[in-house]
Amino acid sequence: MSVVRRVCSMFPQVVGFSKRNISFKTLDPPSPLAHGIHVFYCPDAVGIVAKLSDCIASRGGNILTADVFVPENKQVFYSRSDFVFDPAKWPRAQMEEDFLKLSQTFKAMRSVVRVPALDPKYKIAVLASKQDHCLVDLLHGWQDGRLPVDITCVISNHHRASNTHVIRFLERHGIPYHCLSTTKEEKREGEILELVQNTDFLVLARYMQILSRNFLRSYGNDIINIHHGLLPSFKGSHPSKQAFEAGVKLIGATSHFVTEELDEGPIIEQMVERVSHKDNLQSFVQKSENLEKQCLRSAIRSYCELRVLPYEEKKTVVF
């Protein structure tokens, strides 16, 4: 026992707790990092990736993911970079200037940088007709934050009573609803243009009206549309019923940009699902509508996250 006591007394600070007061230096918490996105579209050249990386790294930023696409025999370059940075060390205005210099160096057709936490959300207007499924899904997606947009208004050519779910939702959240009844002769496009003039892009959530060439050119910004994937075989009214009666085995939905060619704009997103003899008309329609909701929501999210770039005349690059 005496040996043990002697050993313990020799090493009091190792095997026991010191009774001395120990002071610790308080470290300043690290600056919160912000997330940035940059997309680049320019003629292909040597050293683009290196210059992009250096632009971000030289300001203390760190690339998390980088996607690059160089189509064969096209001599063009596409990229999308996700990165984090310290806003105190790389102010937003300086970032814009740095990427502008880079775009000038490589004669870029498109160079866009976005910092979701600092930049305003995209302002959109939603156009809808009688069917509610896509409209309701967008409103709920906006409400729970799945869609990083601000909805300025909803425009429809169909009257909705004050006690309907859509109108109650819009009134509760202060989103204006404009009912503009249309005819073949009067599409009321001038009134629509006035309502959407401060938006970044439009969403057609099953809006069953054709927008004219004059409207598209006057508006000038992108318009995203959704339609079922039963075209061109089943046109006109009740396409789902036509497809169901024809016994199709595969249904789908397509979201695309609106152009002057009806339903032929560059495709952003497509989704498909199998149906079978076990489906009745109700389940068939439900599956089709679910695809439309998912497809449109995905297309809008991809657009807001700068994942969509033009490719050739009628195509897109979607990272």
Side-chain angles (χ1 to χ4, degrees):
M1 294 294 293
S2 60
V3 174
V4 173
R5 282 197 296 270
R6 283 199 300 272
V7 171
C8 289
S9 65
M10 293 171 62
F11 303 101
Q13 306 305 325
V14 176
V15 299
F17 292 97
S18 172
K19 294 182 180 179
R20 294 181 299 171
N21 293 325
I22 301 175
S23 61
F24 296 92
K25 183 180 179 181
T26 302
L27 298 176
D28 294 329
S31 300
L33 297 180
H35 168 231
I37 309 167
H38 178 253
V39 293
F40 208 51
Y41 167 38
C42 67
D44 192 23
V46 175
I48 301 176
V49 173
K51 289 290 185 181
L52 281 169
S53 301
D54 183 63
C55 178
I56 296 171
S58 65
R59 298 294 184 178
N62 183 39
I63 295 177
L64 301 179
T65 61
D67 291 299
V68 172
F69 173 58
V70 181
E72 188 176 0
N73 300 323
K74 298 295 182 182
Q75 296 301 307
V76 290
F77 173 93
Y78 295 86
S79 74
R80 180 184 182 277
S81 304
D82 273 295
F83 59 94
V84 291
F85 69 100
D86 185 345
K89 297 179 180 178
W90 198 8
R92 185 68 179 83
Q94 182 64 57
M95 177 185 294
E96 200 75 40
E97 184 179 326
D98 291 343
F99 282 117
L100 176 61
K101 290 178 181 177
L102 199 65
S103 68
Q104 292 171 341
T105 299
F106 290 102
K107 298 180 174 59
M109 287 80 84
R110 182 168 299 190
S111 175
V112 182
V113 61
R114 185 162 180 80
V115 181
L118 302 179
D119 297 346
K121 291 182 179 180
Y122 288 107
K123 292 182 179 180
I124 72 168
V126 183
L127 280 67
S129 290
K130 186 175 182 178
Q131 290 181 296
D132 280 344
H133 60 284
C134 285
L135 173 59
V136 169
D137 186 72
L138 293 185
L139 293 176
H140 288 167
W142 165 81
Q143 182 185 37
D144 62 23
R146 285 178 295 141
L147 291 178
V149 298
D150 281 331
I151 301 176
T152 63
C153 67
V154 173
I155 303 169
S156 179
N157 62 330
H158 176 74
H159 173 72
R160 286 176 170 82
S162 59
N163 63 343
T164 58
H165 173 69
V166 168
I167 297 301
R168 291 201 306 268
F169 183 99
L170 296 176
E171 289 178 347
R172 189 163 63 249
H173 293 282
I175 301 174
Y177 179 80
H178 304 280
C179 178
L180 302 178
S181 300
T182 59
T183 64
K184 289 183 179 180
E185 294 75 25
E186 179 52 72
K187 299 297 183 67
R188 306 184 72 171
E189 291 186 342
E191 295 170 75
I192 297 174
L193 281 171
E194 289 183 13
L195 294 171
V196 304
Q197 60 181 339
N198 294 321
T199 57
D200 295 301
F201 66 96
L202 302 182
V203 176
L204 307 187
R206 299 296 287 153
Y207 186 61
M208 307 306 289
Q209 298 291 316
I210 299 173
L211 298 175
S212 70
R213 175 184 301 180
N214 288 337
F215 180 93
L216 300 180
R217 294 183 178 181
S218 297
Y219 179 62
N221 295 337
D222 289 325
I223 304 175
I224 297 176
N225 188 30
I226 182 71
H227 63 69
H228 57 77
L230 305 173
L231 295 172
S233 299
F234 307 103
K235 300 180 181 180
S237 60
H238 309 297
S240 292
K241 186 173 184 295
Q242 296 177 50
F244 174 74
E245 292 175 348
V248 302
K249 302 302 181 188
L250 196 66
I251 60 173
T254 296
S255 186
H256 63 92
F257 289 113
V258 176
T259 61
E260 295 176 11
E261 294 77 30
L262 181 62
D263 291 332
E264 294 185 12
I267 294 170
I268 306 171
E269 180 65 273
Q270 288 183 301
M271 294 182 178
V272 296
E273 183 175 345
R274 286 201 166 274
V275 290
S276 74
H277 58 278
K278 296 180 181 179
D279 284 290
N280 56 30
L281 181 57
Q282 182 179 0
S283 66
F284 187 99
V285 171
Q286 185 66 55
K287 287 181 178 180
S288 181
E289 291 183 350
N290 285 341
L291 282 176
E292 291 172 11
K293 293 187 293 186
Q294 295 171 37
C295 189
L296 180 58
R297 191 190 326 130
S298 177
I300 295 171
R301 192 164 53 243
S302 291
Y303 185 90
C304 293
E305 293 174 354
L306 302 185
R307 296 184 181 278
V308 186
L309 287 167
Y311 175 42
E312 297 183 333
E313 259 188 67
K314 296 185 177 182
K315 298 181 181 179
T316 54
V317 171
V318 182
F319 285 116

